[in-house]
């Protein structure tokens, strides 16, 4: 009888299998979430770099075309190129700057959000204090 009670006392505590399974499922879900978040970040970075590279190529071609046109018409080659036409093609939030051969800033253009995205929705009204209207 003593031997039986000693063997029961020396056994390690029972492990709850439901808890272990829940912990493993939670760990697997966390690993999957981290993997998907990392993939999304790297993919969006790759797409943003590709867009910026494409826009840089378009800007370089346009500036080269403008310089060729200036040489053809015998206008001063040192004139600043027109970047406004390029700004219409750019993604919102991007900026381009033109620097001369010495590195001095000559011109810069930034593209903002399109006008239709900047406007407030029609059903939204802003009431200023003291200017409340019944409506």
């Amino acid at each position: 009888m003593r031997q039986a009670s000693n063997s029961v006392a020396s056994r390690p505590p029972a492990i709850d299998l439901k808890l272990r399974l829940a912990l493993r499922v939670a760990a697997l879900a966390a690993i999957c979430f981290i993997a998907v978040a990392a993939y999304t970040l790297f993919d969006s970075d790759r797409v943003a770099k590709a867009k910026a590279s494409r826009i840089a190529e378009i800007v370089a071609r346009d500036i080269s075309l403008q310089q060729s046109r200036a040489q053809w018409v015998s206008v001063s080659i040192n004139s600043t190129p027109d970047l406004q036409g390029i700004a219409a093609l750019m993604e919102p939030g991007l900026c381009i700057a033109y620097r001369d051969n010495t590195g001095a800033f000559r011109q810069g253009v930034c593209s903002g959000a399109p006008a239709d995205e900047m406007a407030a929705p029609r059903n939204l009204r802003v009431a200023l204090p003291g200017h409340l209207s019944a409506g």
Side-chain angles (χ1 to χ4, degrees):
M1 188 76 154
R2 278 186 158 177
Q3 233 179 3
S5 64
N6 271 348
S7 65
V8 170
S10 65
R11 274 194 308 188
I15 299 173
D16 186 14
L17 293 178
K18 289 180 187 177
L19 176 64
R20 286 184 64 187
L21 180 62
L23 289 175
R24 285 185 180 180
V25 168
L28 182 62
I31 290 170
C32 289
F33 176 77
I34 290 170
V36 167
Y39 172 77
T40 303
L41 287 174
F42 285 118
D43 188 53
S44 63
D45 180 58
R46 181 187 58 79
V47 168
K49 285 181 180 179
K51 283 182 181 181
S53 175
R54 188 178 73 240
I55 289 172
E57 184 178 319
I58 291 169
V59 169
R61 285 182 184 172
D62 190 58
I63 290 174
S64 176
L65 180 64
Q66 288 182 31
Q67 288 178 341
S68 296
R69 205 176 313 148
Q71 286 177 347
W72 180 262
V73 183
S74 298
V75 178
S76 173
I77 296 174
N78 293 331
S79 65
T80 304
D82 179 25
L83 300 179
Q84 293 301 324
I86 300 166
L89 303 173
M90 292 181 1
E91 297 280 328
L94 290 180
C95 294
I96 55 174
Y98 178 75
R99 296 179 185 274
D100 61 12
N101 292 337
T102 62
F105 178 79
R106 299 287 297 257
Q107 183 183 11
V109 176
C110 289
S111 175
D116 59 340
E117 291 180 12
M118 297 271 302
R122 292 178 189 234
N123 60 357
L124 178 67
R125 288 191 198 173
V126 177
L128 298 173
H131 293 87
L132 297 176
S133 61

